[in-house]
Amino acid sequence: MTQPLRLGIAGLGTVGTGVVKILRQKANLLSARCGRPVVITAVSARSKDKDRGVSLEGYAWEDDPVALAQRADVDVFVELMGGSEGPAKDATEAAIAAGKDVVTANKALLALHGQALAEAAEEAGHVIRFEAAVAGGIPVIKSLTEGLAGNEITRVMGVMNGTCNYILTRMEDAGLPYEEVFAEADALGYLEADPNLDVGGIDAGHKLSLLSAIAFGTKVDFEGVELEGIQKLSIEDIRTAARLGYRIKLLGVAQMTGRGLEQRMSPCLVPVNSPLGQLEGGTNMVVLEGDAVGQIVLRGAGAGEGPTASAVLSDVIEIARGSRISTFGQPAAGLEKARPARAAAPAPFYLRMTLTDKPGAMAKIATVLGESGISIDRMRQTRHDSAHAPVVIVTHKTSRDSLDTALSGFAATGVVESDPVAIRIETV
């Protein structure tokens, strides 16, 4: 009988228990698809006695994930603990040093240390697979490294944080302010322990940096991602966007330009009738554009026990079948860091600000825009009291540099009462 592939699983939270359940329930199906049995030999987690709703009978227990990673009866170390440092990093390094393949769902670890880990693994003849680290159950990593390997990728774009998409669609559907929906999401357990990882765009930025590395054949560069979260968005922004024919999404965009690699994760307005504009709730969507294939749209559950465990098992099956793809689609030792570039392509922008309600205030704003080389497409003043005048402006296409010049100039007019909100209107 063919030797089984033996797994050591570190981390028995939602995803880890989901993996155990699938392996217990579908052992025969997985064995048939792999050509060999896939079994769990040992596990590790913070608490041995916690009721996880699944039996761990027959698995050896290790309190220390590093010890688990070094066990002689483990072929593949499955890291599902999370965190860019500490036990996750230590145990992954130990697994590579001990001659193990690694499967992980840890986007933060790979975004910050992926290059070094990939080089170490590949030098030792082993692999790191991480389908579950980006967009949950959506097979976007395999799409880039396998299905679209014959393409030059021109752009990667997507909604990659279900919590932010839930918050924005909930605000729109229920007409609720950001603070109220944020509290609701927190109560439902949708937010990370550090909520800024979600609403600040950091979690999605980690994912975008990984996709960029694969798509454009570069070293992972999370520091090169321009990050802007959704905290400044108001219900009025969402309502106004809808009246203009748009919806607001926390959108990641990466593309290689003549100036370098552009990576940005920020709120954008997208057409309401586009695939991204129709995305609801906690669902994720990734759009891949290649020179030969055109545009590919991948949509599905971006988190949760089943979808993420499904992605973990896809990597395990790949290893069981003998596939040995380089971590980022090309040998890690040959990757170079791309020159970071800010968004250079001109685009229309949505601007919202509150002005002092006095004669000439709007004229001063228009003057600053004109001096910055920006023309106004549409403008409206919303309902206001006698002292404050909320204003919304949609510009014609302009560069981000010109917009930044205008935003700096607004402060000198003396008529802007709060920091303006500026949102790019993205072509999708």
Side-chain angles (χ1 to χ4, degrees), residues 95-175:
I96 294 169
K100 320 292 185 185
D101 292 327
V102 174
V103 171
T104 180
N106 193 334
K107 60 265 185 185
L109 176 68
L110 294 177
L112 298 181
H113 305 292
Q115 180 65 28
L117 292 172
E119 288 188 22
E122 291 172 25
E123 185 178 351
H126 294 284
V127 298
I128 301 174
R129 306 309 304 145
F130 57 99
E131 187 68 70
V134 181
I138 302 175
V140 62
I141 304 298
K142 288 180 176 60
S143 295
L144 282 172
T145 57
E146 299 178 46
L148 301 180
N151 286 256
E152 181 177 337
I153 303 301
T154 55
R155 183 167 66 159
V156 175
M157 178 169 53
V159 172
M160 303 176 214
N161 184 278
T163 298
C164 286
N165 203 50
Y166 166 82
I167 290 173
L168 294 174
T169 54
R170 175 69 173 152
M171 287 173 66
E172 180 178 11
D173 293 342

Side-chain angles (χ1 to χ4, degrees), residues 55-95:
S55 173
L56 301 179
E57 184 179 352
Y59 309 150
W61 179 273
E62 293 282 359
D63 291 320
D64 182 1
V66 170
L68 173 69
Q70 295 170 330
R71 287 179 65 103
D73 59 355
V74 168
D75 302 311
V76 179
F77 177 64
V78 183
E79 188 278 301
L80 304 175
M81 296 177 285
S84 62
E85 309 294 336
K89 181 172 180 286
D90 294 342
T92 300
E93 290 173 338

Side-chain angles (χ1 to χ4, degrees), residues 140-417:
V140 62
I141 304 298
K142 288 180 176 60
S143 295
L144 282 172
T145 57
E146 299 178 46
L148 301 180
N151 286 256
E152 181 177 337
I153 303 301
T154 55
R155 183 167 66 159
V156 175
M157 178 169 53
V159 172
M160 303 176 214
N161 184 278
T163 298
C164 286
N165 203 50
Y166 166 82
I167 290 173
L168 294 174
T169 54
R170 175 69 173 152
M171 287 173 66
E172 180 178 11
D173 293 342
L176 297 173
Y178 169 81
E179 293 78 12
E180 190 168 334
V181 178
F182 176 90
E184 180 182 280
D186 192 25
L188 291 170
Y190 291 171
L191 293 167
E192 297 274 4
D194 176 4
N196 193 51
L197 291 174
D198 286 315
V199 299
I202 297 171
D203 169 83
H206 286 151
K207 299 170 185 176
L208 182 67
S209 70
L210 297 175
L211 294 183
S212 294
I214 299 170
F216 304 111
T218 65
K219 290 184 177 181
V220 180
D221 182 20
F222 172 65
E223 292 184 356
V225 181
E226 296 179 55
L227 291 177
E228 181 183 347
I230 65 172
Q231 302 98 318
K232 293 182 179 179
L233 299 177
S234 72
I235 185 62
E236 187 58 36
D237 291 322
I238 289 175
R239 289 170 175 162
T240 302
R243 288 192 288 267
L244 295 171
Y246 297 100
R247 298 183 82 185
I248 300 177
K249 301 293 179 184
L250 180 67
L251 189 65
V253 179
Q255 54 192 355
M256 187 65 76
T257 71
R259 300 172 62 185
L261 178 59
E262 175 187 322
Q263 300 181 92
R264 50 187 164 84
M265 182 63 63
S266 62
C268 291
L269 270 67
V270 298
V272 69
N273 59 355
S274 67
L276 286 164
Q278 296 174 26
L279 194 66
E280 300 283 346
T283 309
N284 281 196
M285 179 177 288
V286 181
V287 180
L288 306 174
E289 296 176 356
D291 61 344
V293 76
Q295 187 180 84
I296 300 293
V297 179
L298 304 172
R299 176 185 180 277
E305 178 184 298
T308 311
S310 168
V312 171
L313 264 299
S314 75
D315 285 338
V316 170
I317 291 170
E318 180 180 300
I319 292 171
R321 288 171 171 169
S323 177
R324 315 299 292 173
I325 297 174
S326 299
T327 307
F328 298 111
Q330 299 180 38
L335 299 179
E336 296 183 0
K337 182 177 179 180
R339 183 172 68 253
R342 294 197 68 198
F349 281 83
Y350 162 100
L351 304 176
R352 174 177 58 83
M353 64 196 81
T354 300
L355 306 182
T356 303
D357 193 7
K358 62 184 181 182
M362 190 61 234
K364 291 183 178 182
I365 295 301
T367 297
V368 171
L369 288 171
E371 291 175 346
S372 303
I374 301 173
S375 60
I376 296 174
D377 179 26
R378 286 176 279 181
M379 181 186 72
R380 61 170 294 164
Q381 189 176 80
T382 56
R383 186 170 51 191
H384 63 284
D385 58 33
S386 59
H388 311 284
V391 173
V392 170
I393 296 171
V394 176
T395 75
H396 286 289
K397 284 186 177 181
T398 185
S399 69
R400 181 71 211 200
D401 288 343
S402 295
L403 182 70
D404 287 343
T405 299
L407 294 174
S408 298
F410 290 158
T413 64
V415 299
V416 180
E417 297 193 350

